[in-house]
Structures are given as C-alpha cells and as structure tokens.
Amino acid sequence: MYQPSESSPTSASVDLAALAQNVAHVRRLAPHANILAVVKANAYGHGALEITQTLQRLAVHRFGVATIDEGLALRQAGVQDAILVMGATVPAQFAELVAHRLTPVLYRADLIPAFAAHIRSGSSPYPVHVKVETGMGRLGVSPHEVLDVLQRTEFQAALRLEGLMTHLADADNHGNDHTKLQLARFQSTLDHLRQRGLAVPLVHAANSAGIIRYPNSLYSLVRPGIMLYGYHTLSHDIEAPALQPILTWKTSIAHLHRIQTGDSVSYNRTFIASRPSHIAVLPIGYADGYNRLLSNRGRVLIGGRRVPVIGRVCMDMTLVDVTDIPGVTIGQEVILIGQQGSERITAADLAAWQQTIPYEILCAIGPRVPRRYLPLGSPAGETSRER
Ligand SMILES: Cc1ncc(COP(=O)(O)O)c(C=O)c1O
C-alpha cells in the first residue's frame, strides 16, 4: 500500500465533526430507519477505515461496500460490524466472503445455490440480502421471480433472508415518475412476500436522494453515501438539507516564474500569454486526481482569490496564473477544494467544470494524496441508536 509522507505539500483534510453533522441530517430525515453507511470506493475518496471508525463512534453499525476486497480490507483493519457487499460479485470470491463474515447481496437466481454451497451444513443460516430490480436496469431479481427465489430450499437451511433491497435510478432528478414506479414495484413485491408469510427483517431502498426527497423510500434501513460526505446532486430548486462538504483538498506553490506576452505554458501550448504573466507551478496533476479536463478551465484559491488554471494539467503538475495576486510566495497555500477567506470551491464546482458529478471528483483523489483528519471531538448528544 502506498504511504504518502506526512510532510507532503498536498493533502486532503477530512472534517469528522462535519461528517457527524451530515449523519445528524440523515437521522432527522429518516428518524425511524437505521443507517447503512456507504463507504465503498475508499469512502468516496475520504478514507474508508477512518470514516468507518468515526461512524462507529456515531453509533452507525452497518456499512456498504462495492467489492469483496473492500470488505476484506475493513475486516482486516478490525471492523467487526455488518458489511454488505453491494456490487457485482463472482462465485469465485464467495468462500472468502463467508470466511470474513461479509454479507452478500444476491441479485440473480443462480447465485443462491452457488452461494449456499459455501455454507457448512449444520452451521446457523447465513444472512443474505436479495436485490429486486425495479427500474435501475442493473442488478436484481425481477419482482415476479422474488417469491420463487425465496422459496428455494437453500432458504430453509443454509441461508437466511436478512434484507430485501432495491436501488433508485432517478431520485435526484426533477421528474419523480420513475422513482414512484420503482417504489410501487418494490412495495408490491414486499406486500406479496408478506402475504405469503415471509419475514423480511431489513428493507432498504433509499440512497441520499431518496432520503432527502422520498419519505416512502425510507423503510427500516437507509443507505446514504454522498450526503455523508456533504454533497447531493439535486437541482437548486429542490429543497435539500444544509449538508457540509467534509473534505478540503489543498497543496502549496512549488515554483514561481514570469513569462512574456506570446510565451506558452505546458504541453501542446494551449495557453499563450496575452500579457506579461506570473505563473505558479502546483505539485499536483491528473495522477493525483486533478483531472486533465480542468486544463484552461479550473480555478484554485490563492490568497483568498480565484485563480485560473492555465495550459494543460500535467500528470504531476498544474500551472495557474497569479499575475493579479500581489505578494505570492513559494510555499503559499493553494486550495483546490475548500474555503479560503470568503471564497469557496466545492467538488460540485470541479464537477461542473469537467462535466461530471461530485462523486467522481471525490473518488478520483488518488493514493498520492495523504488524508488528514480533523477530530470528531466528543460526539455529544449522539445516543447509541443502532445495535
Ligand atoms: C446500492 C447502493 N446503495 C446506496 C448508494 C449510495 O448512493 P448515494 O451516494 O447517492 O447516496 C450507492 C451508491 O452508488 C449504491 O450503489
């Protein structure tokens, strides 16, 4: 595992007290549901272990990852709580999943016997979640297949249905027809199972947008991801809680130089100076997750002012024009995501500049960038609600 140095000029600092506030928003919106915190993709770039451990202190005791490897990494670091593997899994990894007591999401009929084959006969039934495909068009058993799947013999001995879930495709969008349809399909599947006497201990459908917008998606468990990290992708005219971005990404100026009118900077000469210019070189590039699409588009904060990225973002370096910023020095702080003075750049801004979503910006912050953690403090007022 790559270990960046503590003295690295670049870092991502994660405010754990802000994470606690975002968790409080989830609890306010879903007061009767337990939380399964989505910590896949290194907790959306924030550091899976530290985020998980902090959430445990905040009385969250269920976690969602995408891959078995992500689950194993948490187990190996000592996380004992329930870990749901929500992504596409292959039977070749089922033995490892069972050995580490991860919980699988089974999303196709043939996975039931394939998974049950790994449970020793005589051992207590292994908890699994079954995913229903209601309109995401990705993974899941179709609603009319679910009863057959759950009536298979594997569910009489080897397996125990712990959870039934679906995933919303469009809950952050303006229109709500598709989400209503998904939730109606899910509810009628659930009703049908209950009429047939099947117990479903945990029911879950809501991602962050579901939690914020669809009270009827909450059920007994909610699966927030992006809102824990302080973002959503709802449009501005939709009412949303005041989430707090928890990550600040900063670096410092590595080098300064002056160029003349007509001089160019960086690969392929995409920036030609139209005036004598003062150029700062930042020790950060696309290998760190600062996307090349930010070339000649991005902005950073220096001295409390917005400063343009000029020329192509390189693998390890990015150039910015500091001509209008007085007194700039080597070593001066540069904010890529975060606040400086009264100015602020968010992952949503970077996403807009490179036509993507804040999720991708955060996940892309690479292993060369050390994560530092601002402490949670005492989680006063947090009561142990789960477990
Ligand atoms: C199955 C599942 N549930 C929940 C989430 C969390 O979604 P969000 O980050 O939008 O809250 C994800 C993330 O993509 C997911 O794949």
Side-chain angles (χ1 to χ4, degrees):
M1 186 59 184
Y2 190 88
Q3 278 298 344
S5 145
E6 277 301 301
S7 53
S8 162
T10 302
S11 67
S13 60
V14 177
D15 182 346
L16 298 175
L19 173 66
Q21 289 186 21
N22 295 335
V23 170
H25 281 298
V26 177
R27 289 194 165 128
R28 187 177 49 75
L29 290 162
H32 306 297
N34 278 333
I35 295 174
L36 180 148
V38 179
V39 295
K40 62 182 180 168
N42 198 26
Y44 293 36
H46 295 72
L49 182 60
E50 292 78 2
I51 294 293
T52 298
Q53 287 172 335
T54 305
L55 290 168
Q56 289 178 313
R57 287 183 62 198
L58 296 167
V60 174
H61 292 293
R62 288 185 186 277
F63 299 95
V65 295
T67 68
I68 291 173
D69 288 344
E70 288 179 341
L72 294 187
L74 289 178
R75 279 282 180 265
Q76 278 154 14
V79 175
Q80 298 294 325
D81 286 328
I83 299 176
L84 187 67
V85 182
M86 305 188 303
T89 44
V90 290
Q93 283 195 295
F94 283 164
E96 239 182 330
L97 185 150
V98 172
H100 292 87
R101 294 177 300 100
L102 305 175
T103 309
V105 171
L106 301 177
Y107 50 82
R108 204 174 56 228
D110 64 278
L111 294 176
I112 310 287
F115 186 73
H118 293 273
I119 310 304
R120 266 191 291 121
S121 68
S123 59
S124 53
Y126 198 97
V128 303
H129 291 218
V130 168
K131 188 170 199 176
V132 188
E133 163 48 33
T134 57
M136 177 68 183
R138 208 168 61 175
L139 304 177
V141 176
S142 74
H144 59 83
E145 251 189 310
V146 177
L147 184 61
D148 283 351
V149 162
L150 295 179
Q151 285 179 335
R152 291 183 63 109
T153 53
E154 290 85 356
F155 279 101
Q156 280 148 33
L159 308 183
R160 171 170 70 82
L161 179 71
E162 182 185 70
L164 191 78
M165 65 184 284
T166 195
H167 191 42
L168 302 176
D170 205 30
D172 60 341
N173 219 340
H174 241 272
N176 52 19
D177 290 354
H178 192 71
T179 306
K180 283 184 175 166
L181 179 68
Q182 281 197 273
L183 291 171
R185 285 174 175 157
F186 189 56
Q187 183 60 47
S188 72
T189 308
L190 197 60
D191 291 344
H192 187 49
L193 297 182
R194 285 179 172 155
Q195 279 155 16
R196 302 299 290 258
L198 277 156
V200 190
L202 295 175
V203 180
H204 47 118
N207 55 4
S208 296
I211 293 166
I212 296 169
R213 287 188 72 204
Y214 293 93
N216 62 335
S217 74
L218 300 178
Y219 293 103
S220 56
L221 196 65
V222 292
R223 303 192 307 267
I226 196 73
M227 71 183 294
L228 296 176
Y229 310 109
Y231 290 92
H232 62 71
T233 47
L234 304 168
S235 64
H236 292 300
D237 53 343
I238 294 176
E239 201 186 325
L243 300 169
Q244 213 176 307
I246 71 171
L247 180 139
T248 294
W249 191 9
K250 61 173 81 161
T251 187
S252 59
I253 296 175
H255 178 71
L256 286 163
H257 65 104
R258 293 190 184 273
I259 60 172
Q260 299 308 314
T261 304
D263 287 349
S264 64
V265 300
S266 196
Y267 291 118
N268 306 129
R269 309 187 65 235
T270 61
F271 176 87
I272 311 272
S274 57
R275 59 177 179 169
S277 302
H278 198 194
I279 310 299
V281 180
L282 312 182
I284 180 121
Y286 60 78
D288 302 288
Y290 200 74
N291 199 289
R292 194 165 172 275
L293 292 170
L294 296 166
S295 302
N296 292 308
R297 295 190 70 114
R299 297 279 185 278
V300 302
L301 301 180
I302 297 177
R305 308 251 306 261
R306 284 180 174 243
V307 168
V309 171
I310 53 166
R312 291 260 202 263
V313 171
C314 309
M315 187 184 288
D316 318 300
M317 279 177 262
T318 295
L319 307 170
V320 295
D321 183 349
V322 291
T323 312
D324 297 328
I325 313 292
V328 174
T329 56
I330 288 174
Q332 189 167 343
E333 179 187 83
V334 179
I335 296 289
L336 308 170
I337 294 176
Q339 179 113 17
Q340 200 182 49
S342 59
E343 283 284 354
R344 184 178 170 90
I345 291 176
T346 66
D349 293 323
L350 268 75
W353 294 328
Q354 54 189 82
Q355 292 184 4
T356 184
I357 49 177
Y359 297 69
E360 190 184 355
I361 303 295
L362 297 168
C363 290
I365 300 173
R368 292 205 305 205
V369 179
R371 273 57 169 181
R372 293 175 186 147
Y373 294 90
L374 307 180
L376 179 60
S378 155
E382 294 291 342
T383 52
S384 190
R385 297 175 67 253
E386 294 171 41
R387 269 279 181 88

